[in-house]
Amino acid sequence: MNRVRFAPSPTGYLHVGGARTALFNYLFAKHYDGKFVLRIEDTDISRSTKEYEEQLMESLLWMGITWDEGPDVGGETGPYRQTERTDIYVKMVDELINSGKAYRVYAYPEEIETLHDDLLSQGKPPHYDQQMLEKFNTPERKKEFEGGGLNPVVFFKMPRKEYRLLDLIKGEVIFKEGAIGDFVILRSNNQPIYNFAVVVDDILMEITHVIRGDDHLSNTLRQLALYEAFEAPIPSFAHVSMILGPDGKKLSKRHGDTSVEQFRDRGFLPEAFFNFLTLLGWSHPEGKEILSYGEIIESFTIDRVNTSAAIFDEAKARWMNGVYIREADLDRITDLTIPFLVQAGLISLEEAGANLKWLKRAIDSVRKGVELLSEIPEKMKLYFEEIQVRPLSPENEEQRKVFRSLEAFKDRIEYLNSWSNEEIVSTIKEILKEIKPDRKSFYMSLRHVLTASEEGPELVDVVFLLGRNKTLHRLQQALRLP
């Protein structure tokens, strides 16, 4: 069975790049009926928080990404937080020490740092080996550590050989002999180094495919050596190219919103964000862009992941979200929009509940012209707030016809038996037939009187949703009537 994992560090909000990594792993697992594991890499104790962990999981769930094993659902290969696996790491370190593949070093951090600087000053790469580190392992130093309750650091003995990796995206990657020296795998506080913990976890969790950003490619050499040391199967690696901003530089805060939470809070729909993020580095076999969850899962394969970097196109993301907003179920869009209306001060929750039927129609009238749910309140202000209506001053016969038509419209809607779209349309048709104004001028004038804008929702919807009193009031102001 194919088993993949997403292993975020809970040190901040879920970045777009991390979300895409999670998404590609999820899609791979679902396409091949495999298992998707969520693992929390929280060994950076000073920066990791429970709040960020919960936020990460909430963001994944909002996107529609669920996991088969993880800290909240359990599983046969847990625990799924690295801070709960310390005993496992120490045991695996001892295994390497006992087999002669790792060794303890009784050095203080500043001594290792001095050694590092000395190598650089001699024009040598800062590559360590057991011979140069052995000088710290004197009987006196060991006794000093034991007396002070200190633990030695543990170095892995890096084989001096060439390593080759057949990456599923990048093709063959060659790591030349001597590219790195021996490296730390366990700190003096018994906390594992990232590369060691990742390998141990992936081995014990039986991960078959590692799909991650290509910023991790530099870690792969150390990890390949550790898999070999444990005589464990090496998973298939697929390093996905990074996401760039429009300027060709790595996506960051200077490009605008970069976290999943920010896109959610601006009014992106999860299925739109899921769709857009999938296309950042992957393409559908038929070139389709608007895709359902099912279509994406059915079509997703690693061989269609691009080798070149993806460009984050904000305009395209907004366009795609607009498509989903227009096509989504109205009840759902209404529920999602109400918090934005409340936040904008246009309506209270109680008022929204009491006027739900009207509110649905009002939201439906404007959603064709928005790309974000957060844009809807601005579009709906015409229904809630007073507008400045400029009095009309006809200067020629054609303008006078329009003026008379508006007067007739005001007079007739005041006494309509039923306030409905059908009655409103019928009234307009009668007036146009009788007075014969220029149709375009009439509609533009009526729109401007009612909305103070040249564009917006369907005009008949505006009249209906404003209601009789507001419509009459605005017409009276424009026609300078008492």
Side-chain angles (χ1 to χ4, degrees), residues 194-230:
Y194 166 77
N195 283 304
F196 179 78
V198 165
V199 170
V200 169
D201 291 343
D202 285 348
I203 291 172
L204 297 181
M205 293 181 184
E206 301 175 358
I207 301 302
T208 61
H209 294 76
V210 175
I211 304 169
R212 60 188 183 184
D214 63 3
D215 53 328
H216 283 284
L217 189 60
S218 59
N219 293 319
T220 309
L221 173 56
R222 291 175 174 81
Q223 293 170 13
L224 290 174
L226 286 166
Y227 279 110
E228 183 181 71
F230 284 118

Side-chain angles (χ1 to χ4, degrees), residues 3 69-70 74-81 84-85 88 204-205:
R3 289 175 59 85
E69 300 174 27
E76 296 180 0
T77 60
Y80 296 93
R81 294 185 185 90
E84 298 172 1
R85 298 173 63 84
I88 296 173
L204 297 181
M205 293 181 184

Side-chain angles (χ1 to χ4, degrees), residues 82-126:
Q82 286 188 335
T83 50
E84 298 172 1
R85 298 173 63 84
T86 301
D87 291 345
I88 296 173
Y89 302 134
V90 171
K91 179 182 177 182
M92 298 291 274
V93 165
D94 288 342
E95 183 180 320
L96 291 180
I97 292 173
N98 294 335
S99 62
K101 298 173 183 175
Y103 54 92
R104 298 181 178 91
V105 176
Y106 292 82
Y108 292 104
E110 54 270 23
E111 291 175 323
I112 300 295
E113 188 175 337
T114 299
L115 181 57
H116 175 276
D117 294 342
D118 287 346
L119 290 170
L120 288 178
S121 66
Q122 298 170 34
K124 298 177 181 179

Side-chain angles (χ1 to χ4, degrees), residues 46-264:
S46 63
R47 296 173 60 218
S48 297
T49 69
K50 188 68 175 176
E51 290 74 22
Y52 280 134
E53 177 186 318
E54 292 173 353
Q55 187 65 62
L56 283 166
M57 292 195 285
E58 285 177 11
S59 295
L60 291 172
L61 292 171
W62 174 79
M63 286 177 60
I65 297 175
T66 57
W67 42 95
D68 301 291
E69 300 174 27
D72 57 333
V73 298
E76 296 180 0
T77 60
Y80 296 93
R81 294 185 185 90
Q82 286 188 335
T83 50
E84 298 172 1
R85 298 173 63 84
T86 301
D87 291 345
I88 296 173
Y89 302 134
V90 171
K91 179 182 177 182
M92 298 291 274
V93 165
D94 288 342
E95 183 180 320
L96 291 180
I97 292 173
N98 294 335
S99 62
K101 298 173 183 175
Y103 54 92
R104 298 181 178 91
V105 176
Y106 292 82
Y108 292 104
E110 54 270 23
E111 291 175 323
I112 300 295
E113 188 175 337
T114 299
L115 181 57
H116 175 276
D117 294 342
D118 287 346
L119 290 170
L120 288 178
S121 66
Q122 298 170 34
K124 298 177 181 179
H127 294 172
Y128 309 116
D129 59 42
Q130 189 170 4
Q131 184 177 355
M132 71 172 65
L133 295 170
E134 191 62 32
K135 65 180 180 180
F136 298 111
N137 293 347
T138 62
E140 294 77 16
R141 179 59 66 82
K142 291 180 181 179
K143 185 176 181 181
E144 182 181 326
F145 267 52
E146 291 168 3
L150 303 174
N151 297 312
V153 295
V154 178
F155 276 76
F156 175 73
K157 192 181 295 184
M158 183 69 192
R160 292 346 186 223
K161 57 180 281 190
E162 180 180 273
Y163 283 84
R164 291 175 179 261
L165 171 71
L166 187 58
D167 191 276
L168 297 179
I169 295 174
K170 296 190 172 298
E172 187 176 50
V173 180
I174 299 174
F175 301 98
K176 294 185 178 180
E177 180 180 348
I180 61 173
D182 296 357
F183 56 90
V184 174
I185 56 175
L186 193 70
R187 300 183 181 91
S188 58
N189 62 359
N190 268 356
Q191 287 297 317
I193 292 296
Y194 166 77
N195 283 304
F196 179 78
V198 165
V199 170
V200 169
D201 291 343
D202 285 348
I203 291 172
L204 297 181
M205 293 181 184
E206 301 175 358
I207 301 302
T208 61
H209 294 76
V210 175
I211 304 169
R212 60 188 183 184
D214 63 3
D215 53 328
H216 283 284
L217 189 60
S218 59
N219 293 319
T220 309
L221 173 56
R222 291 175 174 81
Q223 293 170 13
L224 290 174
L226 286 166
Y227 279 110
E228 183 181 71
F230 284 118
E231 299 179 5
I234 297 175
S236 297
F237 284 87
H239 287 91
V240 184
S241 295
M242 68 175 62
I243 300 174
L244 304 179
D247 58 358
K249 297 180 180 179
K250 187 175 180 181
L251 189 68
S252 65
K253 291 180 180 178
R254 68 174 177 275
H255 295 112
D257 293 337
T258 57
S259 74
V260 173
E261 293 78 9
Q262 288 171 317
F263 286 96
R264 180 197 62 198

